[in-house]
mmCIF file of all heavy atoms in Angstrom:
data_model
loop_
_atom_site.group_PDB
_atom_site.id
_atom_site.type_symbol
_atom_site.label_atom_id
_atom_site.label_comp_id
_atom_site.label_asym_id
_atom_site.label_seq_id
_atom_site.Cartn_x
_atom_site.Cartn_y
_atom_site.Cartn_z
ATOM 1 N N MET V 1 25.079 -10.419 6.743
ATOM 2 C CA MET V 1 23.762 -10.966 6.484
ATOM 3 C C MET V 1 23.305 -10.903 5.087
ATOM 4 O O MET V 1 22.350 -11.456 4.671
ATOM 5 C CB MET V 1 22.694 -10.442 7.452
ATOM 6 C CG MET V 1 23.007 -10.552 8.912
ATOM 7 S SD MET V 1 22.996 -12.270 9.440
ATOM 8 C CE MET V 1 21.333 -12.793 9.189
ATOM 9 N N ASP V 6 25.987 -10.102 -8.360
ATOM 10 C CA ASP V 6 25.794 -9.164 -9.438
ATOM 11 C C ASP V 6 24.427 -9.409 -10.056
ATOM 12 O O ASP V 6 24.134 -10.528 -10.611
ATOM 13 C CB ASP V 6 26.917 -9.509 -10.507
ATOM 14 C CG ASP V 6 26.785 -8.495 -11.705
ATOM 15 O OD1 ASP V 6 25.915 -7.657 -11.688
ATOM 16 O OD2 ASP V 6 27.611 -8.680 -12.624
ATOM 17 N N PRO V 7 23.539 -8.391 -10.045
ATOM 18 C CA PRO V 7 22.193 -8.610 -10.561
ATOM 19 C C PRO V 7 22.217 -8.867 -12.056
ATOM 20 O O PRO V 7 21.193 -9.366 -12.587
ATOM 21 C CB PRO V 7 21.474 -7.271 -10.239
ATOM 22 C CG PRO V 7 22.556 -6.342 -9.976
ATOM 23 C CD PRO V 7 23.674 -7.085 -9.406
ATOM 24 N N ASN V 8 23.305 -8.554 -12.732
ATOM 25 C CA ASN V 8 23.420 -8.843 -14.165
ATOM 26 C C ASN V 8 23.726 -10.302 -14.377
ATOM 27 O O ASN V 8 23.681 -10.800 -15.563
ATOM 28 C CB ASN V 8 24.558 -7.972 -14.823
ATOM 29 C CG ASN V 8 24.150 -6.511 -14.824
ATOM 30 O OD1 ASN V 8 23.225 -6.143 -15.438
ATOM 31 N ND2 ASN V 8 24.907 -5.725 -14.132
ATOM 32 N N ASP V 19 19.474 -20.994 -2.481
ATOM 33 C CA ASP V 19 20.155 -21.144 -1.202
ATOM 34 C C ASP V 19 19.366 -20.542 -0.043
ATOM 35 O O ASP V 19 19.189 -21.110 1.060
ATOM 36 C CB ASP V 19 21.541 -20.461 -1.182
ATOM 37 C CG ASP V 19 22.509 -21.194 -2.129
ATOM 38 O OD1 ASP V 19 22.263 -22.414 -2.428
ATOM 39 O OD2 ASP V 19 23.550 -20.617 -2.560
ATOM 40 N N TYR V 44 15.026 -0.942 25.166
ATOM 41 C CA TYR V 44 13.800 -1.729 25.028
ATOM 42 C C TYR V 44 14.033 -3.174 25.338
ATOM 43 O O TYR V 44 13.334 -3.752 26.229
ATOM 44 C CB TYR V 44 13.258 -1.610 23.572
ATOM 45 C CG TYR V 44 11.906 -2.267 23.363
ATOM 46 C CD1 TYR V 44 10.728 -1.615 23.733
ATOM 47 C CD2 TYR V 44 11.817 -3.576 22.826
ATOM 48 C CE1 TYR V 44 9.474 -2.250 23.576
ATOM 49 C CE2 TYR V 44 10.616 -4.181 22.622
ATOM 50 C CZ TYR V 44 9.454 -3.562 23.052
ATOM 51 O OH TYR V 44 8.250 -4.159 22.834
ATOM 52 N N GLY V 51 19.699 -9.607 29.777
ATOM 53 C CA GLY V 51 21.056 -10.099 29.419
ATOM 54 C C GLY V 51 21.026 -11.461 28.761
ATOM 55 O O GLY V 51 22.032 -11.950 28.270
ATOM 56 N N ALA V 88 20.709 -0.588 18.380
ATOM 57 C CA ALA V 88 22.158 -0.367 18.599
ATOM 58 C C ALA V 88 22.770 0.416 17.447
ATOM 59 O O ALA V 88 23.776 1.127 17.663
ATOM 60 C CB ALA V 88 22.823 -1.787 18.756
ATOM 61 N N LEU V 115 18.908 0.501 4.006
ATOM 62 C CA LEU V 115 18.922 0.842 2.569
ATOM 63 C C LEU V 115 19.668 -0.163 1.720
ATOM 64 O O LEU V 115 19.316 -0.468 0.595
ATOM 65 C CB LEU V 115 19.526 2.244 2.326
ATOM 66 C CG LEU V 115 18.635 3.416 2.802
ATOM 67 C CD1 LEU V 115 19.411 4.711 2.852
ATOM 68 C CD2 LEU V 115 17.452 3.538 1.797
ATOM 69 N N ASN V 174 22.716 7.020 -6.966
ATOM 70 C CA ASN V 174 24.054 6.625 -7.416
ATOM 71 C C ASN V 174 24.134 5.104 -7.681
ATOM 72 O O ASN V 174 25.238 4.526 -7.483
ATOM 73 C CB ASN V 174 25.118 7.065 -6.339
ATOM 74 C CG ASN V 174 25.118 8.534 -6.116
ATOM 75 O OD1 ASN V 174 24.866 9.336 -7.025
ATOM 76 N ND2 ASN V 174 25.370 8.884 -4.824
ATOM 77 N N TYR V 180 19.189 -4.302 -16.864
ATOM 78 C CA TYR V 180 17.755 -4.740 -16.803
ATOM 79 C C TYR V 180 16.863 -3.679 -16.227
ATOM 80 O O TYR V 180 15.665 -3.768 -16.244
ATOM 81 C CB TYR V 180 17.679 -6.010 -16.023
ATOM 82 C CG TYR V 180 18.443 -7.219 -16.641
ATOM 83 C CD1 TYR V 180 19.666 -7.539 -16.116
ATOM 84 C CD2 TYR V 180 17.948 -7.851 -17.743
ATOM 85 C CE1 TYR V 180 20.401 -8.582 -16.639
ATOM 86 C CE2 TYR V 180 18.663 -8.869 -18.312
ATOM 87 C CZ TYR V 180 19.916 -9.227 -17.770
ATOM 88 O OH TYR V 180 20.604 -10.256 -18.294
ATOM 89 N N GLY V 217 4.854 0.554 -15.820
ATOM 90 C CA GLY V 217 4.227 0.312 -14.496
ATOM 91 C C GLY V 217 4.441 1.481 -13.498
ATOM 92 O O GLY V 217 4.955 2.555 -13.821
ATOM 93 N N ARG V 226 -4.031 6.430 -12.561
ATOM 94 C CA ARG V 226 -4.048 7.870 -12.507
ATOM 95 C C ARG V 226 -3.213 8.432 -13.621
ATOM 96 O O ARG V 226 -3.559 9.500 -14.199
ATOM 97 C CB ARG V 226 -3.568 8.348 -11.214
ATOM 98 C CG ARG V 226 -4.037 9.775 -10.800
ATOM 99 C CD ARG V 226 -4.012 9.978 -9.276
ATOM 100 N NE ARG V 226 -2.668 9.969 -8.726
ATOM 101 C CZ ARG V 226 -2.113 9.017 -7.994
ATOM 102 N NH1 ARG V 226 -2.802 7.973 -7.634
ATOM 103 N NH2 ARG V 226 -0.880 9.144 -7.520
ATOM 104 N N LEU V 238 0.967 17.158 -24.733
ATOM 105 C CA LEU V 238 2.157 16.330 -24.831
ATOM 106 C C LEU V 238 2.524 16.213 -26.298
ATOM 107 O O LEU V 238 3.715 16.317 -26.663
ATOM 108 C CB LEU V 238 1.866 14.944 -24.250
ATOM 109 C CG LEU V 238 1.766 14.890 -22.733
ATOM 110 C CD1 LEU V 238 0.994 13.562 -22.275
ATOM 111 C CD2 LEU V 238 3.111 14.921 -22.098
ATOM 112 N N LYS V 289 -0.714 -0.943 -25.092
ATOM 113 C CA LYS V 289 -0.070 -1.705 -26.140
ATOM 114 C C LYS V 289 0.080 -0.861 -27.432
ATOM 115 O O LYS V 289 1.017 -1.043 -28.196
ATOM 116 C CB LYS V 289 -0.859 -3.004 -26.433
ATOM 117 C CG LYS V 289 -0.119 -4.030 -27.356
ATOM 118 C CD LYS V 289 1.145 -4.545 -26.589
ATOM 119 C CE LYS V 289 1.747 -5.677 -27.490
ATOM 120 N NZ LYS V 289 3.044 -6.133 -26.863
ATOM 121 N N ILE V 301 1.376 -3.364 -8.301
ATOM 122 C CA ILE V 301 0.805 -4.190 -7.244
ATOM 123 C C ILE V 301 -0.668 -4.295 -7.449
ATOM 124 O O ILE V 301 -1.378 -3.278 -7.477
ATOM 125 C CB ILE V 301 1.112 -3.621 -5.807
ATOM 126 C CG1 ILE V 301 2.614 -3.698 -5.560
ATOM 127 C CG2 ILE V 301 0.335 -4.337 -4.721
ATOM 128 C CD1 ILE V 301 3.051 -2.980 -4.252
ATOM 129 N N ALA V 307 -6.528 -5.004 -5.883
ATOM 130 C CA ALA V 307 -7.214 -5.937 -6.755
ATOM 131 C C ALA V 307 -8.476 -5.355 -7.370
ATOM 132 O O ALA V 307 -8.909 -5.785 -8.528
ATOM 133 C CB ALA V 307 -7.555 -7.266 -5.987
ATOM 134 N N VAL V 398 3.807 -18.752 15.664
ATOM 135 C CA VAL V 398 4.682 -19.865 15.081
ATOM 136 C C VAL V 398 5.741 -19.187 14.191
ATOM 137 O O VAL V 398 5.601 -18.095 13.616
ATOM 138 C CB VAL V 398 3.856 -20.767 14.311
ATOM 139 C CG1 VAL V 398 2.817 -21.460 15.221
ATOM 140 C CG2 VAL V 398 3.138 -20.166 13.130
ATOM 141 N N VAL V 403 4.571 -22.703 9.673
ATOM 142 C CA VAL V 403 3.149 -22.467 9.301
ATOM 143 C C VAL V 403 2.599 -23.610 8.489
ATOM 144 O O VAL V 403 3.324 -24.438 7.919
ATOM 145 C CB VAL V 403 3.061 -21.134 8.424
ATOM 146 C CG1 VAL V 403 3.509 -19.954 9.245
ATOM 147 C CG2 VAL V 403 3.970 -21.300 7.184
ATOM 148 N N GLU V 410 -1.657 -13.682 11.009
ATOM 149 C CA GLU V 410 -1.213 -12.310 10.978
ATOM 150 C C GLU V 410 0.306 -12.227 11.119
ATOM 151 O O GLU V 410 0.871 -12.868 11.983
ATOM 152 C CB GLU V 410 -1.884 -11.492 12.061
ATOM 153 C CG GLU V 410 -1.478 -10.003 11.990
ATOM 154 C CD GLU V 410 -2.050 -9.128 13.138
ATOM 155 O OE1 GLU V 410 -2.980 -9.668 13.799
ATOM 156 O OE2 GLU V 410 -1.566 -8.029 13.301
ATOM 157 N N LEU V 428 -2.395 -13.083 6.087
ATOM 158 C CA LEU V 428 -1.887 -13.883 4.975
ATOM 159 C C LEU V 428 -2.381 -15.255 5.045
ATOM 160 O O LEU V 428 -2.741 -15.796 6.157
ATOM 161 C CB LEU V 428 -0.286 -13.859 5.055
ATOM 162 C CG LEU V 428 0.403 -12.523 5.229
ATOM 163 C CD1 LEU V 428 1.928 -12.806 5.352
ATOM 164 C CD2 LEU V 428 0.132 -11.633 4.042
ATOM 165 N N VAL V 471 -24.267 14.754 13.147
ATOM 166 C CA VAL V 471 -24.605 15.885 14.032
ATOM 167 C C VAL V 471 -25.312 16.997 13.288
ATOM 168 O O VAL V 471 -26.167 17.727 13.791
ATOM 169 C CB VAL V 471 -23.357 16.435 14.813
ATOM 170 C CG1 VAL V 471 -23.644 17.681 15.600
ATOM 171 C CG2 VAL V 471 -22.796 15.334 15.730
ATOM 172 N N GLU V 474 -29.161 16.330 13.089
ATOM 173 C CA GLU V 474 -29.963 16.250 14.247
ATOM 174 C C GLU V 474 -30.875 17.513 14.523
ATOM 175 O O GLU V 474 -32.029 17.447 14.861
ATOM 176 C CB GLU V 474 -29.147 15.992 15.498
ATOM 177 C CG GLU V 474 -28.547 14.553 15.410
ATOM 178 C CD GLU V 474 -27.485 14.240 16.499
ATOM 179 O OE1 GLU V 474 -27.237 15.144 17.295
ATOM 180 O OE2 GLU V 474 -27.078 13.093 16.536
ATOM 181 N N LEU V 480 -30.048 9.173 11.356
ATOM 182 C CA LEU V 480 -29.265 8.220 10.579
ATOM 183 C C LEU V 480 -29.497 6.846 11.157
ATOM 184 O O LEU V 480 -28.949 6.532 12.234
ATOM 185 C CB LEU V 480 -27.837 8.555 10.428
ATOM 186 C CG LEU V 480 -26.917 7.550 9.733
ATOM 187 C CD1 LEU V 480 -27.307 7.352 8.236
ATOM 188 C CD2 LEU V 480 -25.400 7.971 9.834
ATOM 189 N N GLU V 519 -24.226 18.082 1.331
ATOM 190 C CA GLU V 519 -22.882 18.311 0.898
ATOM 191 C C GLU V 519 -21.955 18.630 2.048
ATOM 192 O O GLU V 519 -20.765 18.201 2.076
ATOM 193 C CB GLU V 519 -22.874 19.485 -0.088
ATOM 194 C CG GLU V 519 -23.468 19.077 -1.389
ATOM 195 C CD GLU V 519 -23.837 20.289 -2.259
ATOM 196 O OE1 GLU V 519 -23.487 21.453 -1.881
ATOM 197 O OE2 GLU V 519 -24.502 20.100 -3.337
ATOM 198 N N ILE V 543 -7.669 10.507 -4.791
ATOM 199 C CA ILE V 543 -8.963 10.106 -4.365
ATOM 200 C C ILE V 543 -9.931 11.221 -4.728
ATOM 201 O O ILE V 543 -9.626 12.397 -4.548
ATOM 202 C CB ILE V 543 -9.021 9.840 -2.858
ATOM 203 C CG1 ILE V 543 -8.048 8.667 -2.433
ATOM 204 C CG2 ILE V 543 -10.458 9.552 -2.337
ATOM 205 C CD1 ILE V 543 -8.048 8.447 -0.961
ATOM 206 N N LEU V 546 -15.785 12.551 -1.785
ATOM 207 C CA LEU V 546 -16.591 11.610 -1.094
ATOM 208 C C LEU V 546 -18.066 11.803 -1.454
ATOM 209 O O LEU V 546 -18.540 12.909 -1.609
ATOM 210 C CB LEU V 546 -16.379 11.705 0.377
ATOM 211 C CG LEU V 546 -17.202 10.723 1.301
ATOM 212 C CD1 LEU V 546 -16.335 10.158 2.396
ATOM 213 C CD2 LEU V 546 -18.480 11.399 1.920
ATOM 214 N N VAL V 551 -30.631 6.208 0.755
ATOM 215 C CA VAL V 551 -31.518 5.119 0.266
ATOM 216 C C VAL V 551 -32.872 5.110 0.945
ATOM 217 O O VAL V 551 -32.972 5.718 2.021
ATOM 218 C CB VAL V 551 -30.813 3.747 0.486
ATOM 219 C CG1 VAL V 551 -29.559 3.648 -0.303
ATOM 220 C CG2 VAL V 551 -30.513 3.473 1.989
ATOM 221 N N GLY V 594 -31.097 9.860 -3.506
ATOM 222 C CA GLY V 594 -30.381 11.126 -3.507
ATOM 223 C C GLY V 594 -28.845 10.874 -3.471
ATOM 224 O O GLY V 594 -28.390 9.995 -2.750
#
Side-chain angles (χ1 to χ4, degrees):
M1 300 299 293
D6 180 0
N8 293 297
D19 291 342
Y44 185 82
L115 285 168
N174 301 325
Y180 298 102
R226 201 159 68 250
L238 288 162
K289 191 67 175 173
I301 293 174
V398 300
V403 297
E410 181 183 346
L428 311 175
V471 171
E474 292 172 357
L480 173 62
E519 288 163 8
I543 298 178
L546 181 137
V551 296

